[in-house]
Amino acid sequence: MGLEQSQHRFHIRQKLTPMANRYVVHAAGPEGGEGEIVAFAHQKRLALKEQITFYTDESQSQVLFTFRARQVVDLGATYDIHAASGSHLGTLRKDFAASLLRSTWHMTPEGATTPTTGVERNRVVALVRRIWSVIPFTDFVPFAWPYHFDFATAGRPVMSVEKQLGLRDRYILDIADETLDRRLAIAQAVALDALQSR
């Protein structure tokens, strides 16, 4: 079946390898757990210009869409999302100033005049995450506590991303907006993990 616009819930989990971060995206199955794989992302580590390629599956034989920074890595980089055909799907940008207190992202679908803004839901968890990130050697120990991001446009819910409890990075993406391109939503959900420290 593959990635369908009618799908509303996705499970995303990170697979760690020595030279790259990889993310497996499943559509939710009939019982709510992981169903079929609909996307597989590959992110090279230590790249000066961040790029993540999303494929239709783990064979990496067919590109689904790409995600690329406009400039060399900086704190307020804009990321462009392109379909396999090359058409522009939208942009993502982390709001560096707002993220000092709670991580904040702006996701703008192609043709939209108003961005969708995603904010970390819980202020206390956001603070604990920031303290955790400055403790020596925690790069090797994942932050196990759940955290949530809520995305909205002019107060209207668009989507949410919830990190699951545990040492492995696992997320649930729920989409409320029927019109939101699922590729853009998945790119944003993966960015919350892959680019959180940018």
Side-chain angles (χ1 to χ4, degrees):
M1 186 171 72
L3 183 61
E4 301 284 346
Q5 187 66 17
S6 60
Q7 294 162 339
H8 297 282
R9 171 171 279 201
F10 299 90
H11 295 260
I12 301 168
R13 56 185 168 83
Q14 185 183 31
K15 294 177 70 173
L16 291 176
T17 63
M19 298 303 295
N21 290 330
R22 294 178 173 180
Y23 298 87
V24 184
V25 183
H26 295 258
E31 304 299 319
E34 291 182 357
E36 70 165 328
I37 293 176
V38 295
F40 178 79
H42 179 89
Q43 174 200 26
K44 290 182 180 178
R45 292 184 185 164
L46 305 176
L48 289 176
K49 204 169 189 181
E50 197 68 64
Q51 178 170 339
I52 303 177
T53 302
F54 290 77
Y55 300 91
T56 54
D57 56 38
E58 292 185 80
S59 72
Q60 301 183 57
S61 60
Q62 184 177 344
V63 173
L64 188 60
F65 61 95
T66 61
F67 170 123
R68 186 170 187 169
R70 288 184 181 173
Q71 60 269 7
V72 172
V73 171
D74 66 41
L75 296 174
T78 297
Y79 302 89
D80 288 296
I81 316 303
H82 288 94
S85 65
S87 62
H88 193 248
L89 301 176
T91 61
L92 311 176
R93 182 178 62 83
K94 188 173 184 181
D95 188 325
F96 177 70
S99 294
L100 292 175
L101 296 176
R102 284 193 295 173
S103 291
T104 302
W105 284 80
H106 301 294
M107 174 178 69
T108 308
E110 180 66 15
T113 55
T114 304
T116 294
T117 299
V119 180
E120 198 167 355
R121 186 184 303 170
N122 189 303
R123 292 176 186 271
V124 174
V125 174
L127 176 61
V128 172
R129 286 203 313 112
R130 277 146 188 76
I131 294 170
W132 181 266
S133 69
V134 298
I135 298 173
F137 308 113
T138 55
D139 282 350
F140 304 104
V141 182
F143 184 77
W145 196 255
Y147 54 87
H148 313 76
F149 281 82
D150 297 309
F151 286 78
T153 303
R156 177 178 55 83
V158 172
M159 69 180 225
S160 65
V161 181
E162 178 180 341
K163 182 183 184 295
Q164 302 297 287
L165 178 66
L167 294 177
R168 293 175 60 198
D169 285 340
R170 296 180 300 115
Y171 302 86
I172 293 179
L173 164 63
D174 279 309
I175 300 174
D177 185 342
E178 299 281 351
T179 66
L180 178 63
D181 191 304
R182 277 29 181 178
R183 294 167 294 182
L184 187 59
I186 289 170
Q188 177 66 81
V190 168
L192 294 178
D193 183 276
L195 305 177
Q196 195 57 260
S197 61
R198 295 284 189 267

